[in-house]
Amino acid sequence: MLQGNTMKARTLMSVTLNFLALFFAVTAFITTYWCVGTQRVPKPKCSKLRTHQCIDYGVNETDPNKVVYSWETGDDRFLFRQFHTGIWFSCEENIHDESERCRSFIDLAPASEKGMLWLSVVSEMLYIFLLMVGFGLMCVELVHSSNVIDGLKLNAFAAVFTVLSGLLGMVAHVMYTQVFQVTVSHGPPDWRPYNWDYGWSFCLAWASFTCCMGASVTTLNSYTKTVIEFRHKRKTFEQTFRGENTREAYGYFRDHSLHSISETVNVYSNQSLKSGRRTPIPADSLDLTDFAASLGEDQC
């Protein structure tokens, strides 16, 4: 009973970790906060609608044709806008209003990195698919936990799918990181970040990988421990059964041999009584060696 509760607790832990890995992976895949930062863009010209965060060139009131130039230099001439990028899209603030402008990150990536980016996308999709398969197998194992053999088979398949999904997820995350770093250096000039860092979607992606590995280790540990326990119990049962059979066989042949000897002695005694004389049995006529040998043959 205690062993069954332990196995069920391990299965529940594996299902929970797998569900968290699947939830984090899907959330990271559809969001655009893998990398966040700022972009440096020139300040727009001031107008009646925009009076701040702009460059006021101004016009001389006495002579409208004379332009008064701004003395802003360095970073004062630029505006720093926030941006965030995911696998599919990259979005940045619109400097003219409060909205955002989003562009396809696949189009922003250099031509030399598009193949690796698509490979990363496919790996992410396979990662999520294998996580779903592993989660389904673990749920089936949890529901049909009465049959131990079927449960072990489901446990083994779930462990294999979970390990494979974790490896694919790790490869996908690493490839996307490499593509983004190359895009930062060789991407379009109007998109290149001034500074950047990894966002919460990227953290969720690696948290998903961690939960996936935890689920696979827990599942493999449960499978291995169950198999070892079964082998140990089988070996103990075989040794016990073999010992009981040996004792029963020894007792049977011992009783059978003694019964045969007693019958022989009784027959010899009856023959002596019928002849009317008591014939002593010489000591040298009783060959104890032959008797022991015959007893041993009967026992074997």
Side-chain angles (χ1 to χ4, degrees):
M1 184 68 179
L2 182 60
Q3 180 184 358
N5 293 334
T6 304
M7 290 180 61
K8 191 171 183 180
R10 290 185 197 142
T11 306
L12 279 173
M13 182 179 293
S14 300
V15 171
T16 303
L17 289 173
N18 202 312
F19 175 76
L20 289 176
L22 182 60
F23 176 75
F24 291 160
V26 173
T27 304
F29 187 69
I30 62 178
T31 52
T32 59
Y33 287 88
W34 284 65
C35 299
V36 297
T38 58
Q39 296 170 333
R40 189 173 67 170
V41 295
K43 288 182 178 179
K45 183 179 178 181
C46 292
S47 62
K48 293 181 180 180
L49 299 177
R50 186 184 184 95
T51 58
H52 65 284
Q53 294 293 328
C54 60
I55 296 179
D56 186 8
Y57 291 102
V59 177
N60 194 335
E61 296 180 355
T62 58
D63 188 359
N65 295 324
K66 292 184 178 181
V67 178
V68 180
Y69 293 97
S70 173
W71 293 98
E72 292 183 347
T73 59
D75 288 341
D76 294 335
R77 297 175 55 249
F78 294 94
L79 181 67
F80 294 90
R81 64 182 181 186
Q82 302 292 324
F83 82 97
H84 51 92
T85 304
I87 294 179
W88 298 104
F89 296 102
S90 177
C91 300
E92 59 263 2
E93 291 179 343
N94 194 336
I95 61 176
H96 300 289
D97 52 36
E98 300 296 329
S99 62
E100 284 187 340
R101 185 182 65 153
C102 294
R103 291 181 281 181
S104 173
F105 182 70
I106 298 175
D107 296 335
L108 295 173
S112 60
E113 301 298 321
K114 288 186 184 295
M116 183 175 292
L117 181 58
W118 277 112
L119 188 60
S120 174
V121 172
V122 172
S123 298
E124 285 285 349
M125 295 175 68
L126 287 176
Y127 169 57
I128 295 174
F129 173 74
L130 291 178
L131 275 179
M132 293 175 63
V133 174
F135 178 73
L137 290 175
M138 290 179 185
C139 290
V140 173
E141 178 195 355
L142 188 63
V143 172
H144 299 282
S145 58
S146 58
N147 194 330
V148 179
I149 303 300
D150 292 342
L152 282 176
K153 292 179 181 179
L154 291 171
N155 197 286
F157 280 111
V160 170
F161 280 112
T162 308
V163 170
L164 289 177
S165 65
L167 294 176
L168 284 172
M170 180 183 65
V171 171
H173 303 344
V174 172
M175 286 192 298
Y176 175 81
T177 304
Q178 182 176 351
V179 171
F180 183 83
Q181 291 176 354
V182 173
T183 308
V184 169
S185 302
H186 301 89
D190 64 332
W191 176 86
R192 294 176 189 174
Y194 180 73
N195 54 40
W196 63 276
D197 200 354
Y198 297 107
W200 59 265
S201 296
F202 186 81
C203 296
L204 276 185
W206 283 106
S208 172
F209 169 76
T210 304
C211 292
C212 176
M213 288 292 100
S216 63
V217 170
T218 305
T219 307
L220 285 174
N221 179 266
S222 177
Y223 174 80
T224 306
K225 190 170 183 179
T226 305
V227 170
I228 291 175
E229 288 177 354
F230 270 105
R231 287 181 178 176
H232 177 71
K233 288 184 178 181
R234 180 182 177 183
K235 186 177 180 180
T236 305
F237 175 76
E238 288 178 351
Q239 291 177 351
T240 305
F241 183 74
R242 193 177 302 161
E244 291 179 354
N245 286 346
T246 303
R247 287 193 296 269
E248 290 178 0
Y250 176 76
Y252 171 77
F253 287 115
R254 182 188 60 185
D255 297 341
H256 182 70
S257 300
L258 294 176
H259 181 66
S260 300
I261 294 171
S262 63
E263 286 182 352
T264 305
V265 173
N266 289 334
V267 171
Y268 182 78
S269 301
N270 291 333
Q271 290 178 354
S272 299
L273 291 174
K274 288 180 181 179
S275 61
R277 68 176 183 274
R278 180 178 297 174
T279 304
I281 301 175
D284 55 355
S285 63
L286 294 176
D287 193 349
L288 297 178
T289 304
D290 297 339
F291 171 72
S294 63
L295 180 59
E297 291 176 356
D298 290 339
Q299 290 179 355
C300 293

